[in-house]
Amino acid sequence: MRINLISLREKRFKCQQSGNCCCDPNIIVTLTYRDLFQLFITQERDFRLLLQKISFYTLDSRLSSQVQKQMVLNPIQTTKGKVIPGLKKLSNNFCIFFKPPNCVIYSSRPLACRNYPLAFIKERKEMISIWAKDSQESCPGIGKGTILSTMYIKRLGKQFFKETEEHNKVVKELNIEASQGRPLAAREALWVLVTYGESKQSQK
Ligand code: SF4
């Protein structure tokens, strides 16, 4: 399907390696099936090690259905309720992979980190690129460097929608099973996503 890109204003960005996004208490890096498989590889394919880097963020049941609809990744219904896997944060709010001033998994960093500070919205056949929430206040790279090309932004956006839609399809199947009385434990659901990521990788 052809998607048009609407970029409301020219966007200039160059990462200043401030690490602000990696230790912002308000940012949770949620993980797609592809992110989880990439992380699994960085953890030497040791599922126990992977689990040590992940948190299962639970949804506040008071969130309105409107807010839930706006979430990029759908929550998974598990034996412990609705959860979304994300990177663990340390008590000082640092991402578990942030060793100042660097990300120690930079080349395998998750989709959300690769896109930051950009975010994308889809409306019908149009893809709109915006700055991520609060990024203009906290990210010193915005407004620096060269203008991001339309081709670059479009590539990121297409990958974003492809990956998140694929992820949500898998979650939908898990949630159908759960609604029929067969919810998985959170770690079992995580394993399903990792193996799905592996199967997709081997098809390439
Ligand atoms: S994975 Fe890397 S880039 Fe992403 S928040 Fe953690 S340290 Fe930062």
Side-chain angles (χ1 to χ4, degrees), residues 41-184:
I41 293 174
T42 67
Q43 302 305 300
E44 298 164 359
R45 292 179 171 263
D46 184 329
F47 191 57
R48 280 170 310 169
L49 280 183
L50 176 69
L51 281 172
Q52 289 167 14
K53 311 296 185 306
I54 304 290
S55 287
F56 294 102
Y57 293 96
T58 49
L59 283 198
D60 186 330
S61 55
R62 291 166 300 180
L63 284 181
S64 68
S65 55
Q66 179 72 12
V67 171
Q68 293 198 31
K69 262 189 208 158
Q70 287 167 359
M71 294 174 66
V72 173
L73 297 185
N74 292 341
I76 312 166
Q77 184 68 52
T78 67
T79 50
K80 290 268 172 64
K82 289 180 174 179
V83 301
I84 297 185
L87 289 181
K88 191 170 271 180
K89 276 180 171 283
L90 305 178
S91 55
N92 57 4
N93 286 317
F94 281 20
C95 165
I96 193 153
F97 290 115
F98 184 52
K99 303 281 179 262
N102 297 315
C103 166
V104 294
I105 55 157
Y106 190 77
S107 59
S108 308
R109 68 198 186 286
L111 177 73
C113 307
R114 281 181 275 131
N115 283 358
Y116 194 86
L118 290 178
F120 297 94
I121 303 168
K122 200 195 263 179
E123 281 182 8
R124 296 190 183 87
K125 286 191 175 177
E126 287 174 340
M127 174 164 83
I128 304 171
S129 78
I130 55 174
W131 292 121
K133 189 169 177 292
D134 299 333
S135 61
Q136 289 179 89
E137 288 79 52
S138 63
C139 177
I142 292 178
K144 307 255 168 61
T146 52
I147 294 169
L148 301 177
S149 73
T150 303
M151 196 189 289
Y152 171 76
I153 297 178
K154 194 166 181 175
R155 182 160 52 78
L156 285 187
K158 279 173 90 174
Q159 177 63 28
F160 169 79
F161 288 114
K162 186 168 169 241
E163 200 169 318
T164 53
E165 283 166 13
E166 189 84 30
H167 176 92
N168 286 337
K169 262 196 250 165
V170 182
V171 169
K172 188 175 175 190
E173 283 178 23
L174 291 174
N175 288 347
I176 290 173
E177 290 284 317
S179 69
Q180 293 169 349
R182 295 185 292 275
L184 296 180

